[in-house]
Amino acid sequence: MDTIFALASAQGKAGVSVLRISGPMALAAANQICDRPMPKQGRGLRILREANGDRLDEALVLTFAGPASFTGEDIVEFQVHGSTAVVSSVLDTLAAAPGLRLAEPGEFTRRALENGKLDLAQVEGLADLIDAETEAQRKQAQVVLAGGLGQLAERWRQDLIRAASLIEVTIDFADEDVPVDVTPEVTQLLHGVEQDLMRETKGVKIAERIRDGFEVAIIGAPNVGKSTLLNALAGREAAITSEYAGTTRDVIEVRMDLSGLPVTLLDTAGLRETDDHVEGIGIELARKRADQADLRVFLAEPEEKLDVAMRAGDVRLSPKADQRKVSTGAISGKTGQGVDSLVDHISGTLKERSTQVGIATRARHRDMMQSALQSLKEAQQVLQRGSEFYDIAAEDMRSAIRSLEMLVGRVGVENLLDEIFSSFCLGK
């Protein structure tokens, strides 16, 4: 196993930068550049020196003995002064040390996976935590990183192993009288796992939205104040506004944190009949994005017929409240009237939907759980056909178990690893 090193903190000037070494030669490499030897596990303030004895920097050095470390290997971390010159000099010195090489993206985390320190779902949770921008994203990622999904999968797996073993005992003693009918216990175990999988599968869509962001589309006829409202919600001039209809031709997106939830606001082209080919493309795109959005804000006159059907959670408001004698149910992005109420409505609706979130957060998780769920349904159907079909039911249960093992990366995910770890930085 190679010994690897990399900068573990962000690139660029900082108060402190962290460099990390992992592998069998980590401690020996650290002792080569430290003015005094480091303990196998501990910390100390050391002068770092080049091979010719010149001083590199004064650093806090931390050592972690495997397997009680992040990667499961011996690890050394240097906390050095965060100038680019210091970091470059220390990295160059480590690169010159025999047996060391620069880590590949995500290689530290990949070693943690290979050494059983993390399962695949936890690796994905770590990636989500690094990318988290809102409080909801942070909390969701922490649950996965803490092993919540892996613990669930292991509980389901154990229940299915118990059910399959009961069925296989019946098969093994088919020519003898089995004193206890195992069907009720098997059915109960399968039903319990099935209900859990159905609940978690339903929650994946909301979890994906928390990770990637909810979409809120502002739609209506041309020149009703959609772009002005977007700018008011965003707190900046994100969209061009003018008195000319058709100014917005493309969907303008503004990402923001709304009460701890990631939300992308969409300003769409005004919906109308037009002979302008380019504007027509924009209107068609507006309809498509409005249909895909989690929530829509319609700006329309009370008597106006909407081209897009409203759904639960959508809100309809009259535009340009500042120009009306009666402003009830109206909003103005220009003066801010009604904007706070709209923000409260959007936040409340999305928060309510977020209560349905499950632990699973990715399409891959959903696919594996749906595969297991399908196998369980087939197993239960086969069980009803009688004991002569128990061997088929047992195979369906084993298929469900394999899907759960793929969920946490125990088997059959080698082709996914390169893609997953490519999103990590070198020091992670």
Side-chain angles (χ1 to χ4, degrees), residues 13 28 101 197 208 256 259 308 317 319:
K13 185 170 66 175
R101 66 168 174 83
L197 284 169
E208 285 185 293
M256 61 188 296
S259 299
V308 179
L317 298 167

Side-chain angles (χ1 to χ4, degrees), residues 110-256:
R110 186 163 188 160
R111 291 190 176 196
L113 173 68
E114 293 170 347
N115 292 327
K117 306 299 291 187
L118 299 173
D119 62 38
L120 187 58
Q122 287 177 291
V123 169
E124 292 165 324
L126 178 57
D128 290 342
L129 182 61
I130 293 171
D131 291 336
E133 297 175 345
T134 68
E135 183 66 4
Q137 289 172 327
R138 181 192 68 80
K139 289 181 177 180
Q140 178 174 275
Q142 287 285 10
V143 171
V144 181
L145 178 57
L149 183 57
Q151 292 166 12
L152 262 182
E154 182 59 24
R155 192 187 78 202
W156 298 333
R157 179 176 172 274
Q158 291 299 326
D159 285 349
L160 294 182
I161 288 174
R162 168 67 179 170
S165 65
L166 289 171
I167 289 296
E168 286 169 352
V169 166
T170 303
I171 296 171
D172 291 341
F173 293 92
D175 297 331
E176 304 178 23
D177 291 331
V178 179
V180 179
D181 181 9
V182 301
T183 307
E185 183 178 354
V186 170
T187 301
Q188 183 179 9
L189 289 168
L190 297 185
H191 181 71
V193 175
E194 180 185 28
Q195 293 302 306
D196 284 352
L197 284 169
M198 290 175 63
R199 182 176 61 253
E200 285 299 321
T201 301
K202 289 179 181 178
V204 171
K205 182 178 180 180
I206 298 298
E208 285 185 293
R209 283 310 201 196
I210 291 176
R211 193 182 80 246
D212 299 332
F214 291 93
E215 288 192 349
V216 176
I218 305 172
I219 56 180
N223 207 27
V224 294
K226 298 186 298 298
S227 297
T228 302
L229 178 58
L230 175 78
N231 291 339
L233 291 169
R236 61 184 176 87
E237 295 294 321
I240 298 173
T241 60
S242 79
E243 71 275 17
Y244 299 105
T247 299
T248 301
R249 299 285 182 103
D250 200 356
V251 176
I252 298 173
E253 302 184 8
V254 175
R255 191 171 176 87
M256 61 188 296

Side-chain angles (χ1 to χ4, degrees), residues 160 163-174 182-183 186 190 375 378-402:
L160 294 182
S165 65
L166 289 171
I167 289 296
E168 286 169 352
V169 166
T170 303
I171 296 171
D172 291 341
F173 293 92
V182 301
T183 307
V186 170
L190 297 185
S375 296
E378 292 173 0
Q380 292 179 85
Q381 292 172 357
V382 171
L383 282 175
Q384 296 174 2
R385 296 167 62 185
S387 58
E388 62 269 29
F389 296 98
Y390 276 5
D391 55 338
I392 300 175
E395 180 55 35
D396 287 332
M397 293 178 208
R398 286 192 290 269
S399 179
I401 291 169
R402 285 193 294 271

